[in-house]
Amino acid sequence: MLCRRRFIPLTTVLALSLTLTVRPAAAKQDILFGGASITGVYYQVALQISNIMNKHLGQKYNYIGRPTGGSVFSINAIERQAFDFGVAQSDRNWQGFYGTADWEGKPLKTLRSVFSMHPETVLLVTRKDTGIRKVEDMKGKRINIGNPGSGQRGNAEDVLRIYGIDPNKDIRAEGLQQAEASRALVDRKIDAFFFTVGNPSAAIEEPAQSVDLVIVPINSKGIQQFVDKHPYYIMTKIPAGTYKGVNQDIETYAVTATVVTNESVADAVVYDLVKTVFDNLAELKASHAAFKNLDPQEMLKGLSAPFHPGAITYYQEKGWM
Ligand code: GLU
């Protein structure tokens, strides 16, 4: 026995040590989590949840937070199973599952809800020197309505329609990604942009350091009636002081950011995500100012696509369902 042990061939030793070092890493499952623009809050959702998952369940998963084109892009990527999880506005969650707006006649029956995150406001942001103080003042101006694939583009189109502004005739509509739009506003290449986002967002904080910004209220009677008609919209206020130069409350309407997945993602993967996020919610709340008011009861509301069964198992264990 002793003799034999002494003569274990070197190749066997090498192969053995290679197996021992390589196997644990190979066993990890890559999970792709789609955010949106790098200056928005969704990207922070994807990054911060990925950090929490890799910290607490790093032996099992390798979570990767990715920027994307926004809600519509992410919902479509989840449908194609290119992402495991993504963040999407509550109005797009509803429209995707029931097949309206961008998904007219093509309901995404595999879309599943996981939980809600922070509230997002429909913002119209301009420079002080453009003179735009009301939505109607946008006429003749160059306005970024958002890239196709973003959630804000649909909100911008709704606002324009409700205020009777034709995007093809009355304004010069641009379709920039949000990171470019924030820069373009500073560079005077556009006069205003729409962005539907949690607060505070770097997409507004950064330009506010270079130019005087104004956030325009979106609160006409028409908007209030529109909000009343849809369960996923509410009227809200951006509190004074949220951004540099914003010295009074600004009235507008809001949606909720929701985490979504595909029914084909394994129950255990969704269960592990939900359990780890809720068991470590204090860490998530502390990771970004937009998350500080997250509350478990609220995080189960505002979701239109059915919950994924992996999430239901955890919510039932907690007695939340
Ligand atoms: N609500 C935006 C969208 O769906 C993204 C907001 C963000 O990046 O935080 O496209």
Side-chain angles (χ1 to χ4, degrees), residues 121-126 131-138 159-160 162-163 165 192-195 213-224 227 235-238 246-254:
T121 45
V122 179
L123 298 182
L124 175 58
V125 182
T126 186
I132 302 173
R133 297 292 179 271
K134 318 189 282 311
V135 174
E136 294 88 333
D137 297 338
M138 281 194 299
V159 171
L160 292 170
I162 292 164
Y163 278 88
I165 298 170
F193 61 73
F194 280 95
F195 193 25
L213 291 186
V214 170
I215 300 183
V216 180
I218 304 177
N219 59 351
S220 67
K221 269 246 158 58
I223 291 288
Q224 292 178 19
V227 164
M235 291 305 299
T236 189
K237 283 190 180 107
I238 303 141
V246 177
N247 302 323
Q248 59 193 46
D249 293 357
I250 311 286
E251 209 180 2
T252 184
Y253 70 106

Side-chain angles (χ1 to χ4, degrees), residues 75 90 92-98 108-114 258-261 302-308:
I75 285 181
S90 49
R92 307 290 160 253
N93 182 319
W94 195 95
Q95 292 162 350
F97 186 73
Y98 290 108
L108 306 178
K109 287 297 166 204
T110 62
L111 189 66
R112 292 292 175 272
S113 294
V114 183
T258 70
V259 173
V260 291
T261 189
L303 297 148
S304 305
F307 280 107
H308 190 285

Side-chain angles (χ1 to χ4, degrees), residues 35-37 39-43 69-72 87-89 92 118 120 149-152 195-198:
S37 159
T39 57
V41 180
Y42 284 12
Y43 189 46
S71 287
V72 175
V87 196
Q89 293 177 196
R92 307 290 160 253
H118 55 281
E120 303 186 83
S150 71
Q152 61 267 19
F195 193 25
T196 304
V197 69

